[in-house]
Every structure is written in structure tokens, then in C-alpha cells.
């Protein structure tokens, strides 16, 4: 636009021919600038400031904390929940104690062992040491072997069962030493005697066993006399029928029962028989 053009001509040239004339167009007469907004109220402008917003947020947070604290105080002040909690804990502790008292590692009804008082004196029977039991097969003595010692033990055991004194045991063992050398002998004259357990054989008539007793003289059957315990018993029974045998010598007492052709032969066995009886009694 040139400056020498008239004003009317400036305005006419500046308005486009096809621009609408509605209200919306009339409101944009200021060009590309927006219509100024109406002024806001003072209170809304105050809330929009940053310091005020921070203060309000802080206040709301404090109010929420106070409300939560008040609620907690109210819950704590109520005795019912607290009582229930304590009851539950007590029940749990009681159940744990009950399970521990019923442990499988502890024997039911175990007696409590009370240690004796250090000043208490032990009874004589408690302080006495038990006597060691004799072995079933005693150790041989007096030059005997194990088989002879076993036979001597049978003779001594039978005599003790009959309550004979030691003197009678010595007489019986000395007699068996002389008659059979403490062996259970069969007889060559009696073939039946070999049918029973034996430890050799002899040929002195029909004499058998430890004491060489004769079935024909009434001592018993061959089967019985081949049993060492039976042979010893009938010897003791015959000895007890001899009047005053306890005051006799070993030789005289043995001869009174055996009626041997060699009456003095028993005397040489007295010392060994005494040692054997001492080892067995």
C-alpha cells in the first residue's frame, strides 16, 4: 500500500471480498491473536500458586496420618482383639509343651534313680564279691586228663547230692582210681556192655563201669552199671551201710564195700583223691 492512497481505499483493499461476516468471524478482528479470556477470580488464582498447593498437600497428608493413628488407638483400646491374640499365643505354647512331654524318646513311667548318699555305708552283702561259678568241665589236677577229671566230677557231684562228708568223697574217688583208673570200662566177658558209651574194656570176670561192679553180684543191670552216675550212687549207698566207716582209713572203708582181693591197694590213691576232691568242692 502506498501512502498517497486514500484511507477508504486502504480499508477496501485490506478486506477480502469473500470473508464471512458471522459472529465467530467478528470475534477474530484482532488477527491471529486469541480473544482475551475473562479474568479469573482471586480465590482460584490463589489456589493455583505452587506454595499453596504444597501446603495443602502437606495438610492432607497430616490429616490422613492423624486419622490412621486415631484408628489404631481405637483398635488398641478395644480389649477384645488383644485378649483373643493372647489366648491364641497361650494355646500354641501349651500345645508345644504337650508335644514335648510326649516325646517318644522317653520311656513311659521311668523310675527316677536316686544316687546313694556319700555318707551311706554299703551293706555287707552288697560289698561282698560274688563267688565265681565253677566251669562245667573242671581243669584237671593230680596228673589226671580231662576225661578222668570229668568222671571224678560225676562221682563228687553224686556224693554231694547225698550229703556225704568230704571223707566219703575221697573214699569213692580213691576206689575208682584203683578199680578202673577213672575210666568207664566195658567187659570183654559181657558183649552187651560195649553197646553203651564206654572208655575202654576190661576182662576181670563180669566187672563193668567206674567201680568194676558185677551184675552177677546184684549191683544192677549191665545198662545201669555202665552209667557213671548210677555206679557212684550204689557205691555210696553201700558205704553208708558200713558201721563206723567215717572212722576207718580210706583203704578199710573202700575194702568194706568192694571186698577186693587186694585190700591194701586203695591206700596209694588217697593223696591224689584228696587233691581232686579239693579242686571239685
Amino acid at each position: 500500500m502506498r501512502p498517497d492512497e486514500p484511507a477508504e481505499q486502504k480499508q477496501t483493499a485490506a478486506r477480502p471480498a469473500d470473508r464471512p461476516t458471522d459472529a465467530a468471524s467478528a470475534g477474530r478482528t484482532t488477527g491471529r491473536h486469541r480473544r482475551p479470556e475473562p479474568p479469573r477470580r482471586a480465590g482460584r488464582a490463589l489456589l493455583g500458586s505452587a506454595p499453596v498447593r504444597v501446603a495443602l498437600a502437606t495438610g492432607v497428608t497430616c490429616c490422613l496420618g492423624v486419622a490412621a493413628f486415631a484408628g489404631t488407638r481405637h483398635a488398641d483400646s478395644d480389649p477384645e482383639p488383644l485378649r483373643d491374640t493372647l489366648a491364641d499365643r497361650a494355646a500354641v505354647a501349651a500345645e508345644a509343651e504337650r508335644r514335648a512331654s510326649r516325646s517318644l524318646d522317653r520311656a513311659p513311667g521311668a523310675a527316677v534313680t536316686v544316687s546313694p548318699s556319700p555318707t551311706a555305708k554299703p551293706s555287707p552283702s552288697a560289698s561282698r564279691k560274688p563267688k565265681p561259678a565253677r566251669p562245667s568241665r573242671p581243669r584237671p589236677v593230680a596228673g589226671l586228663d580231662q576225661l578222668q577229671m570229668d568222671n571224678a566230677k560225676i562221682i563228687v557231684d553224686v556224693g554231694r547230692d547225698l550229703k556225704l562228708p568230704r571223707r566219703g568223697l575221697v573214699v569213692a574217688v580213691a576206689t575208682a582210681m584203683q578199680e578202673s583208673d577213672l575210666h568207664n570200662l566195658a567187659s570183654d566177658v559181657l558183649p552187651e556192655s560195649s553197646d553203651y558209651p564206654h572208655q575202654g574194656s576190661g576182662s576181670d570176670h563180669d566187672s563193668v563201669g567206674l567201680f568194676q561192679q558185677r551184675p552177677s553180684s546184684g549191683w544192677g543191670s549191665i545198662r545201669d552199671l555202665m552209667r557213671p552216675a548210677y555206679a557212684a550212687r550204689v557205691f555210696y549207698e553201700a558205704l553208708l551201710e558200713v558201721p563206723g566207716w567215717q572212722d576207718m582209713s580210706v583203704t578199710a572203708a573202700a575194702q568194706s564195700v568192694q571186698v577186693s582181693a587186694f585190700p591194701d591197694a586203695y591206700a596209694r590213691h588217697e593223696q591224689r583223691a584228696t587233691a581232686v576232691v579239693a579242686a571239685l568242692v
Side-chain angles (χ1 to χ4, degrees), residues 11-165:
Q11 292 179 357
T12 303
R15 179 181 302 173
D18 57 352
R19 190 167 187 175
T21 58
D22 55 356
S25 300
R28 290 196 294 269
T29 55
T30 56
R32 288 179 298 177
H33 297 285
R34 293 182 180 180
R35 179 184 299 179
E37 298 179 358
R40 300 179 180 178
R41 294 181 181 179
R44 186 174 296 179
L46 181 61
L47 290 176
S49 62
V52 174
R53 291 181 180 176
V54 173
L56 287 177
T58 304
V60 171
T61 303
C62 293
C63 291
L64 292 176
V66 172
F69 177 75
T72 305
R73 290 292 304 273
H74 177 70
D76 293 342
S77 62
D78 189 1
E80 292 300 330
L82 179 60
R83 189 180 299 112
D84 294 342
T85 301
L86 294 178
D88 293 341
R89 292 180 179 178
V92 172
E95 177 66 17
E97 182 178 0
R98 183 177 63 84
R99 291 182 179 178
S101 63
R102 289 166 53 187
S103 174
L104 296 178
D105 296 335
R106 186 174 59 189
V112 178
T113 303
V114 180
S115 58
S117 173
T119 58
K121 296 181 179 180
S123 61
S125 59
S127 59
R128 188 181 305 160
K129 293 183 179 180
K131 187 177 180 180
R134 292 183 180 274
S136 57
R137 301 192 69 182
R139 183 175 61 86
V141 297
L144 302 182
D145 59 22
Q146 188 64 58
L147 187 63
Q148 291 172 307
M149 195 68 182
D150 292 342
N151 289 330
K153 183 179 185 301
I154 294 175
I155 296 173
V156 171
D157 289 345
V158 172
R160 297 183 67 184
D161 290 341
L162 295 175
K163 310 298 181 185
L164 264 77

Side-chain angles (χ1 to χ4, degrees), residues 204-221:
D204 185 8
H205 302 289
D206 59 345
S207 300
V208 294
L210 289 175
F211 294 89
Q212 290 293 283
Q213 296 153 328
R214 299 177 67 179
S216 61
S217 299
W219 286 99
S221 65

